[in-house]
Amino acid sequence: MDIPFLSLKEVTALHGAEINAAVARVVNSGWYLQGKENELFEQHYAEFIGTKNCIGCANGLDALIWIFRAYIEMGVMQPGDQVIVPANTYIATILAITENGLVPVLCEPKINTLEIDDDLIERLITPKTKAICIVHLYGRIAYTEKIGNLCKKYNLKLIEDNAQAHGCKYNDGRMTGSIGDAAGHSFYPGKNLGALGDGGAVTTNDEELAKTIRALANYGSQKKYVFKYTGRNSRLDEIQAAILDVKLKYLVEDNQHRKEVAHYYYKHINNPLIIMPDLLPDNQNAYHLFPILVGEGKRDALHDYLEQNGVGTVCHYPIAPHKQECYNKEKWNTPQLSLPITERIADGELSIPIGPSITLEEVAQVVEFINRF
């Protein structure tokens, strides 16, 4: 039995008829950018997240870039200011900070949650700190009341990287993407809410920020041929917006299947080499990924063993951002930072199959192989 890590073909087929109809509708409309499909999706996604504004853009990295750039244009931040960010995130979060001339201040995660360690944040705050950027990594809630209180105490912006957590909630019912001052979302095909190509969005309740971001992502223009900012072209196309609007209707249902898969893993994986992160209440994990930590330096061996037995796995992320060549010579990383928890996660993390199309029969097979290893 071949069990792919995630079959995008099977995921698309779940709602294939509606997706095909949506694509045909756009093709036949003759309007392919900044039209009704974008308006509808932005409206529906803002309602789902619980914010006043949603601005579609080209991808998740751009979404984060525009948030920081808009704050600079608004005078809230300036190049050289610091942003506290989890050290174990995907590099895009940090790229968005450095792209804007801001300085990332890397904070270790907790090994049992894999999310930013809120006990370590306050000691990293300096007079140059302007924001905390949390990442709901793997689909798990990263926000805590302590983080919210620190933002209030030090007058910091709270920015969410919600690329992996569509449909995740905090324990008071707020949806990730609505908790902070602004949030970046990715609709990369493999996400819980995935397009059939690149796509992204910003959600926020800040009207000025939304207006600024919409202009920046449209060449810097708020009015045709009039340019307030030196912007870029970063737009969500009509076909992707239409596809996302179809898939949004099924996101809660698809996430529920992910939760059933995850619960099976938590209940049945039994191997002393395997550590699983803390089990969260269902609403607080969208289960974009199911990460395990493999002990005794055997992560790669387990990866190879599962691959040989037809089970697809992925290592997220085997080289931590502070160890990437692109950041070797940055002042904030010279001498190279020592972040042992982040490095331990990078060395031991393995993501096993989870998604809306995997069957529980296949999940049981995955568990059997893992327990046999």
Side-chain angles (χ1 to χ4, degrees):
M1 180 187 289
D2 279 339
I3 304 170
F5 178 70
L6 180 69
S7 170
L8 292 179
K9 184 177 180 180
E10 290 178 9
V11 171
T12 303
L14 291 174
H15 316 299
E18 285 185 71
I19 289 170
N20 287 334
V23 171
R25 182 176 70 245
V26 177
V27 170
N28 293 331
S29 76
W31 194 290
Y32 307 124
L33 279 171
Q34 294 185 301
K36 291 180 181 178
E37 302 293 347
N38 258 272
E39 287 178 21
L40 273 176
F41 173 68
E42 288 181 351
Q43 176 192 332
H44 293 158
Y45 194 59
E47 290 169 357
F48 177 80
I49 295 295
T51 56
K52 295 176 183 175
N53 301 286
C54 171
I55 307 98
C57 60
N59 53 67
L61 172 58
D62 275 9
L64 291 170
I65 287 173
W66 298 134
I67 292 170
F68 291 113
R69 171 71 186 281
Y71 277 132
I72 290 171
E73 295 290 352
M74 292 162 60
V76 175
M77 301 178 191
Q78 61 183 5
D81 284 342
Q82 296 173 347
V83 179
I84 295 170
V85 62
N88 64 318
T89 185
Y90 180 55
I91 200 169
T93 321
I94 298 169
L95 288 172
I97 296 167
T98 59
E99 170 82 8
N100 283 290
L102 301 167
V103 179
V105 178
L106 274 54
C107 182
E108 286 266 60
K110 290 182 177 178
I111 194 69
N112 60 311
T113 67
L114 308 180
E115 304 300 325
I116 192 168
D117 188 339
D118 58 2
D119 293 325
L120 302 179
I121 292 174
E122 189 163 19
R123 70 188 70 172
L124 299 174
I125 295 173
T126 75
K128 296 199 74 121
T129 307
K130 291 297 189 293
I132 299 172
C133 181
I134 57 174
V135 183
H136 305 293
L137 202 63
Y138 308 114
R140 300 171 59 86
I141 188 76
Y143 178 76
T144 65
E145 283 298 317
K146 184 179 282 190
I147 291 172
N149 290 335
L150 285 172
C151 289
K152 290 174 188 170
K153 180 178 177 180
Y154 293 98
N155 192 28
L156 305 177
K157 294 296 182 185
L158 178 61
I159 296 160
E160 298 174 76
D161 182 338
N162 200 50
Q164 299 186 4
H166 316 104
C168 177
K169 293 181 179 179
Y170 184 54
N171 59 22
D172 62 4
R174 283 180 292 171
M175 194 79 75
T176 56
S178 70
I179 298 169
D181 295 283
H185 307 253
S186 168
F187 305 127
Y188 181 79
K191 305 297 188 185
N192 291 38
L193 181 61
L196 298 190
D198 276 319
V202 174
T203 54
T204 182
N205 286 317
D206 186 327
E207 299 289 351
E208 184 184 358
L209 184 74
K211 188 177 177 183
T212 306
I213 288 170
R214 196 174 289 282
L216 285 167
N218 186 35
Y219 300 98
S221 173
Q222 290 175 319
K223 181 181 177 184
K224 195 168 185 179
Y225 301 131
V226 179
F227 302 92
K228 184 174 181 178
Y229 312 106
T230 54
R232 286 214 319 257
N233 175 13
S234 176
R235 299 179 297 208
L236 183 66
D237 72 66
E238 288 285 278
I239 287 178
Q240 301 305 340
I243 291 166
L244 288 166
D245 207 42
V246 169
K247 295 180 78 173
L248 179 59
K249 293 188 296 183
Y250 300 100
L251 178 58
V252 172
E253 176 186 326
D254 289 347
N255 280 356
Q256 184 56 41
H257 183 72
R258 289 174 179 271
K259 289 168 187 177
E260 291 168 10
V261 171
H263 281 293
Y264 192 96
Y265 282 143
Y266 271 108
K267 185 175 181 180
H268 295 285
I269 288 177
N270 182 19
N271 184 319
L273 290 171
I274 305 302
I275 299 170
M276 291 181 283
D278 290 353
L279 176 63
L280 295 171
D282 267 359
N283 281 346
Q284 296 179 39
N285 196 342
Y287 290 106
H288 169 56
L289 299 170
F290 195 92
I292 59 176
L293 296 180
V294 186
E296 298 181 16
K298 293 188 176 180
R299 188 268 307 276
D300 292 346
L302 177 57
H303 169 273
D304 293 346
Y305 165 77
L306 290 173
E307 291 282 341
Q308 288 160 12
N309 283 282
V311 177
T313 62
V314 177
C315 302
H316 295 97
Y317 303 96
I319 306 173
H322 68 287
K323 290 202 161 188
Q324 296 286 354
E325 185 178 353
C326 62
Y327 287 135
N328 269 351
K329 296 177 182 177
E330 299 295 320
K331 273 188 182 179
W332 54 266
N333 197 25
T334 305
Q336 189 175 81
L337 294 167
S338 174
L339 298 164
I341 297 174
T342 294
E343 290 157 23
R344 178 180 167 191
I345 293 170
D347 291 341
E349 193 277 346
L350 187 68
S351 296
I352 58 179
I354 193 167
S357 63
I358 191 171
T359 68
L360 289 182
E361 180 188 7
E362 290 171 323
V363 173
Q365 192 73 44
V366 174
V367 169
E368 189 176 327
F369 283 125
I370 289 173
N371 289 347
R372 204 186 295 163
F373 178 72

